[in-house]
Amino acid sequence: MDSHFSLPGIRSISYVAANVLPDHIAYMRASRIPIKLNIKQNFVPFVGEPTCETESTKINKAKKQSVTLNFRCTQPLPEDYALAFVVTDNNGQNWLIGQREEPFPLVSCTQTFGITDGDPSSITVTVTFEASEALIPIEME
Protein backbone atom coordinates (compact mmCIF):
# COMPACT_ATOMS: atom_id res chain seq x y z
CA MET A 1 0.00 0.00 0.00
CA ASP A 2 1.51 3.32 -1.08
CA SER A 3 0.17 6.75 -0.24
CA HIS A 4 1.22 10.20 -1.35
CA PHE A 5 0.63 13.43 0.57
CA SER A 6 1.42 17.07 -0.21
CA LEU A 7 1.12 19.91 2.30
CA PRO A 8 -1.53 22.57 1.48
CA GLY A 9 0.90 25.43 0.97
CA ILE A 10 3.76 26.41 3.24
CA ARG A 11 3.62 29.44 5.54
CA SER A 12 7.09 29.15 7.10
CA ILE A 13 10.24 27.03 7.17
CA SER A 14 12.77 26.95 9.98
CA TYR A 15 15.71 24.77 10.94
CA VAL A 16 16.99 23.53 14.27
CA ALA A 17 20.10 21.65 15.29
CA ALA A 18 19.13 17.97 15.32
CA ASN A 19 20.85 17.44 18.67
CA VAL A 20 18.27 19.63 20.49
CA LEU A 21 15.41 17.28 19.57
CA PRO A 22 14.12 14.66 22.03
CA ASP A 23 15.53 11.15 21.74
CA HIS A 24 13.62 8.67 19.55
CA ILE A 25 10.99 11.11 18.34
CA ALA A 26 9.85 8.70 15.59
CA TYR A 27 8.99 6.10 18.24
CA MET A 28 7.01 8.74 20.14
CA ARG A 29 5.03 9.45 16.97
CA ALA A 30 4.50 5.75 16.25
CA SER A 31 3.16 5.38 19.81
CA ARG A 32 0.80 8.34 19.17
CA ILE A 33 2.39 10.41 21.94
CA PRO A 34 1.72 14.11 21.26
CA ILE A 35 4.99 15.91 20.57
CA LYS A 36 5.41 19.43 21.93
CA LEU A 37 8.71 21.19 21.34
CA ASN A 38 10.05 24.30 23.00
CA ILE A 39 13.19 24.97 20.98
CA LYS A 40 14.72 27.97 19.25
CA GLN A 41 13.87 27.99 15.55
CA ASN A 42 15.95 29.69 12.87
CA PHE A 43 13.49 30.91 10.28
CA VAL A 44 14.51 30.66 6.63
CA PRO A 45 13.61 33.61 4.38
CA PHE A 46 12.38 31.76 1.31
CA VAL A 47 11.35 33.07 -2.10
CA GLY A 48 8.81 31.54 -4.43
CA GLU A 49 6.55 28.64 -3.52
CA PRO A 50 8.13 25.87 -1.44
CA THR A 51 6.81 22.32 -1.73
CA CYS A 52 6.75 19.43 0.70
CA GLU A 53 5.70 15.94 -0.34
CA THR A 54 5.72 12.67 1.49
CA GLU A 55 5.26 9.12 0.32
CA SER A 56 4.47 6.17 2.57
CA THR A 57 5.11 2.56 1.67
CA LYS A 58 4.54 -0.70 3.52
CA ILE A 59 7.14 -3.36 2.87
CA ASN A 60 6.69 -6.68 4.66
CA LYS A 61 4.36 -4.99 7.19
CA ALA A 62 6.98 -2.33 7.97
CA LYS A 63 6.14 1.31 7.27
CA LYS A 64 8.66 3.44 5.39
CA GLN A 65 8.05 7.10 4.78
CA SER A 66 10.06 9.48 2.61
CA VAL A 67 9.69 13.25 2.53
CA THR A 68 11.05 15.84 0.12
CA LEU A 69 11.09 19.54 0.94
CA ASN A 70 12.07 21.98 -1.83
CA PHE A 71 12.52 25.72 -1.42
CA ARG A 72 14.61 28.66 -2.57
CA CYS A 73 16.21 30.97 -0.02
CA THR A 74 18.52 33.95 0.01
CA GLN A 75 20.86 32.90 2.84
CA PRO A 76 23.01 29.76 3.13
CA LEU A 77 22.13 27.12 5.71
CA PRO A 78 24.66 25.95 8.30
CA GLU A 79 26.80 23.04 7.16
CA ASP A 80 28.76 22.27 10.33
CA TYR A 81 26.04 20.31 12.18
CA ALA A 82 23.06 18.09 11.40
CA LEU A 83 19.81 19.94 10.75
CA ALA A 84 16.15 19.15 11.20
CA PHE A 85 13.40 21.30 9.68
CA VAL A 86 10.09 22.62 10.97
CA VAL A 87 7.54 23.38 8.26
CA THR A 88 4.33 25.26 9.05
CA ASP A 89 1.57 24.74 6.50
CA ASN A 90 -1.16 27.24 5.60
CA ASN A 91 -3.51 25.51 8.06
CA GLY A 92 -1.12 26.37 10.92
CA GLN A 93 0.03 22.76 11.46
CA ASN A 94 3.74 22.32 12.28
CA TRP A 95 5.64 19.38 10.81
CA LEU A 96 9.08 18.11 11.76
CA ILE A 97 11.49 16.65 9.22
CA GLY A 98 14.41 14.98 10.99
CA GLN A 99 15.41 13.43 14.27
CA ARG A 100 18.16 13.51 16.88
CA GLU A 101 19.67 10.17 15.82
CA GLU A 102 21.13 9.12 12.48
CA PRO A 103 20.12 9.02 9.71
CA PHE A 104 19.70 12.79 9.40
CA PRO A 105 17.95 14.59 6.56
CA LEU A 106 20.08 14.99 3.45
CA VAL A 107 20.36 18.68 2.53
CA SER A 108 21.40 19.58 -1.01
CA CYS A 109 22.02 23.24 -1.94
CA THR A 110 22.50 24.75 -5.39
CA GLN A 111 23.62 28.38 -5.74
CA THR A 112 21.98 30.34 -8.59
CA PHE A 113 23.28 33.78 -9.43
CA GLY A 114 20.19 34.89 -11.32
CA ILE A 115 20.14 37.05 -14.40
CA THR A 116 20.21 40.77 -14.96
CA ASP A 117 16.64 42.12 -15.05
CA GLY A 118 15.38 38.68 -14.02
CA ASP A 119 15.40 36.25 -11.14
CA PRO A 120 17.39 37.27 -8.07
CA SER A 121 20.36 35.32 -6.76
CA SER A 122 19.11 32.45 -4.62
CA ILE A 123 19.96 29.07 -3.17
CA THR A 124 17.78 26.12 -4.14
CA VAL A 125 17.52 23.69 -1.25
CA THR A 126 16.28 20.11 -1.43
CA VAL A 127 15.81 18.24 1.84
CA THR A 128 15.17 14.50 1.66
CA PHE A 129 14.59 12.21 4.60
CA GLU A 130 13.53 8.58 5.00
CA ALA A 131 12.41 6.93 8.23
CA SER A 132 9.51 4.97 9.66
CA GLU A 133 8.03 8.42 10.50
CA ALA A 134 9.66 11.07 8.31
CA LEU A 135 7.06 13.88 8.53
CA ILE A 136 5.98 14.23 12.15
CA PRO A 137 3.15 16.55 13.28
CA ILE A 138 4.30 18.63 16.25
CA GLU A 139 3.16 21.51 18.44
CA MET A 140 5.56 24.39 19.03
CA GLU A 141 5.43 26.10 22.43
Side-chain angles (χ1 to χ4, degrees):
M1 175 178 119
D2 291 347
S3 65
H4 187 81
F5 174 71
S6 181
L7 293 183
I10 294 175
R11 182 184 302 167
S12 69
I13 300 170
S14 63
Y15 65 85
V16 300
N19 65 1
V20 303
L21 296 173
D23 292 330
H24 309 294
I25 202 164
Y27 294 133
M28 294 169 62
R29 169 65 181 148
S31 299
R32 303 295 180 233
I33 296 172
I35 301 167
K36 294 182 182 182
L37 300 179
N38 185 7
I39 54 178
K40 181 184 180 294
Q41 300 176 69
N42 301 286
F43 287 92
V44 178
F46 62 83
V47 295
E49 294 291 327
T51 61
C52 185
E53 297 181 339
T54 183
E55 188 171 352
S56 298
T57 306
K58 280 197 174 181
I59 301 171
N60 296 329
K61 298 184 182 181
K63 180 181 175 184
K64 178 183 169 191
Q65 192 176 64
S66 62
V67 63
T68 303
L69 171 65
N70 291 296
F71 61 93
R72 287 183 0 188
C73 61
T74 56
Q75 300 173 353
L77 300 175
E79 296 179 358
D80 52 344
Y81 54 90
L83 300 177
F85 292 84
V86 177
V87 177
T88 304
D89 68 25
N90 282 337
N91 294 330
Q93 174 65 55
N94 295 304
W95 302 89
L96 177 67
I97 301 170
Q99 59 190 15
R100 183 182 185 112
E101 305 81 21
E102 291 184 17
F104 302 115
L106 175 63
V107 181
S108 172
C109 300
T110 304
Q111 176 76 43
T112 305
F113 291 101
I115 58 172
T116 307
D117 299 336
D119 292 334
S121 175
S122 65
I123 301 167
T124 301
V125 179
T126 300
V127 178
T128 55
F129 183 57
E130 290 186 2
S132 60
E133 297 283 342
L135 187 65
I136 299 175
I138 58 171
E139 291 181 36
M140 296 300 293
E141 297 181 330

